[in-house]
Amino acid sequence: MPPRLSFAPVRNFAKQGNLTRRMSSQPKVYVTRPDVDDSGLELLRKRCQVSTWNETIPVPRCELIREVAGKDALYCALTDKIDKEVLDAAGSQLKCVATISVGYEHIDVQECKKRGIRVGFTPDVLTDATAELTLALLLATNRRLFEANKQVYNGGWKSWAPMWMCGQGLKGSRVGMFGFGRIGQEIAARIVPFKPAEITYTTRSPRPQEAATVNARRVDFDEMVCNSDFIVVCCALTPETKEIFSTEAFQKMKPNCILINTARGGVVDQKALYEALKNKQILAAGLDVTTPEPLPLDDPLLKLDNVVILPHIGSADIETRKEMSRITARNILAALAGDKMDAEVKL
Ligand code: GLV
């Protein structure tokens, strides 16, 4: 455990001189986003000297490397790559890296472990928001909402027509969950009222209790890709899941298969996905995550009608993001004080 730091409230230091002395003894925190909710930053400002990057684009790497020097904690986001170079630049006093995200593949956690740096993240709080967005994306994709909406504006809507803008319903379908953690389980629970024929899940180890709540059957990856009408990707990005949705996987899918990904773009081989969508090897895809992010405006995926792309907004619900900001701040304060964090990555 790192040594416990004591925090005196700022109000005890009315005089400017005292305040300056107090400030210099406060732990220093660098925040890589100016646009996180103020309630989190306020928590930090009561006890720490906080400096922030001031633009709403991700902090340039050279700036991050300059600014992190001498800091006790780093408040970062998934847009920041926190690797050995950044940790070296920070210096040995760095005690905590806290990310305002559930995913932490942008942080070299092994390097943090070696240096005794604690890593905070924000699981759980965003589970419902992400599950809700996944359902919204699934329904927008299978019922072709964006394609249909365009027709209203571009004159394509001539009259009601029996088979025009028809999609593929969830009712009676086979839904495969790739990943069945907290978010996957909540997505599955929201799919159940749509009356699918079966929900299956693919995970490294069985989760019988969680699966029982939605009557899901565990299958291997091959069975899931071969038999599903919908595949929902909700796993972490790891060396095992990287580009697991490859040309070979798409070739095995049914031509009516719809792929939904709200996890990480890296789980899908995007070139292979493009080919599969263009050649109608699969029916459609809904993506809240891509490689890279943002997706360049000339990316070929943007030319296809059978794909719905969102700009990584899975957890973007106001209260969720506010709480993520506060949890990240509390994680930092706890790490600096040697206390239990709200959510700490097990290293
Ligand atoms: C979003 O993708 C997150 O990891 O929180």
Side-chain angles (χ1 to χ4, degrees):
M1 279 285 165
R4 183 177 269 267
L5 299 179
S6 62
F7 296 125
V10 171
R11 64 176 175 277
N12 288 350
F13 294 84
K15 289 192 185 145
Q16 188 59 40
N18 280 343
L19 184 60
T20 312
R21 259 199 313 282
R22 168 85 189 103
M23 294 265 294
S24 61
S25 66
Q26 283 182 326
K28 297 186 183 66
V29 181
Y30 184 60
V31 181
T32 65
R33 309 283 324 188
D35 47 356
V36 293
D37 185 66
D38 236 21
S39 56
L41 293 185
E42 281 311 312
L43 289 176
L44 284 178
R45 285 194 189 109
K46 283 185 190 150
R47 296 174 167 197
C48 306
Q49 236 180 289
V50 179
S51 51
T52 61
W53 165 241
N54 283 325
E55 294 178 43
T56 50
I57 53 164
V59 58
R61 192 157 170 88
C62 55
E63 177 81 7
L64 171 61
I65 284 176
R66 190 166 50 241
E67 289 298 324
V68 76
K71 299 297 186 293
D72 299 286
L74 176 61
Y75 182 131
C76 66
L78 46 81
T79 41
D80 311 310
K81 189 168 170 56
I82 310 302
D83 56 9
K84 186 170 182 303
E85 188 186 15
V86 172
L87 300 176
D88 282 344
S92 58
Q93 77 299 323
L94 185 74
K95 292 165 198 71
C96 172
V97 174
T99 181
I100 182 165
S101 60
V102 60
Y104 50 82
E105 72 287 339
H106 53 293
I107 302 172
D108 186 339
V109 290
Q110 288 316 318
E111 202 52 47
C112 288
K113 182 177 177 181
K114 266 196 237 160
R115 298 164 191 238
I117 296 169
R118 297 170 72 186
V119 178
F121 67 142
T122 61
D124 303 326
V125 60
L126 48 61
T127 298
D128 288 315
T130 308
E132 183 177 293
L133 185 280
T134 306
L135 254 289
L137 177 58
L138 191 157
L139 295 171
T141 308
N142 74 327
R143 297 299 303 270
R144 304 169 63 183
L145 297 195
F146 289 89
E147 224 185 317
N149 178 258
K150 263 190 225 154
Q151 308 302 313
V152 177
Y153 294 89
N154 69 13
W157 183 17
K158 306 289 184 207
S159 78
W160 183 89
M163 296 311 288
W164 188 59
M165 284 292 144
C166 288
Q168 165 177 284
L170 268 169
K171 188 175 175 193
S173 68
R174 294 185 184 284
V175 181
M177 309 293 306
F178 185 66
F180 202 59
R182 292 170 293 248
I183 295 175
Q185 291 159 34
E186 285 299 327
I187 297 169
R190 284 161 175 76
I191 288 175
V192 169
F194 289 89
K195 306 178 183 164
E198 184 177 43
I199 297 181
T200 61
Y201 73 102
T202 300
T203 48
R204 247 186 323 203
S205 35
R207 293 178 170 255
Q209 271 172 354
E210 294 86 345
T213 64
V214 290
N215 204 13
R217 181 171 66 89
R218 184 162 176 255
V219 294
D220 64 20
F221 183 68
D222 239 42
E223 182 172 345
M224 193 196 57
V225 290
C226 293
N227 292 342
S228 300
D229 303 307
F230 292 86
I231 294 175
V232 183
V233 182
C234 42
C235 62
L237 176 62
T238 64
E240 293 82 53
T241 62
K242 190 170 187 315
E243 297 192 352
I244 189 163
F245 289 92
S246 58
T247 301
E248 195 191 340
F250 289 119
Q251 276 164 357
K252 290 180 183 164
M253 289 179 193
K254 301 200 292 189
N256 68 309
C257 186
I258 295 179
L259 180 85
I260 304 296
N261 185 7
T262 51
R264 284 292 182 267
V267 178
V268 174
D269 174 344
Q270 212 162 268
K271 282 203 180 75
L273 172 64
Y274 169 75
E275 291 301 326
L277 288 167
K278 190 176 69 139
N279 302 329
K280 307 273 188 274
Q281 231 163 28
I282 67 169
L283 188 60
L287 312 173
D288 183 43
V289 286
T290 57
T291 310
E293 292 181 5
L295 198 60
L297 290 177
D298 62 354
D299 193 283
L301 273 178
L302 297 178
K303 303 219 161 31
L304 299 177
D305 282 336
N306 53 348
V307 58
V308 173
I309 303 182
L310 299 177
H312 201 148
I313 54 167
S315 64
D317 133 311
I318 297 165
E319 286 311 316
T320 300
R321 287 282 167 87
K322 286 185 175 177
E323 187 56 9
M324 287 166 72
S325 161
R326 291 189 285 268
I327 291 172
T328 309
R330 289 201 296 268
N331 278 341
I332 288 176
L333 294 173
L336 291 174
D339 288 341
K340 188 172 180 305
M341 293 159 91
D342 275 36
E344 181 166 4
V345 176
K346 286 197 188 84
L347 300 177

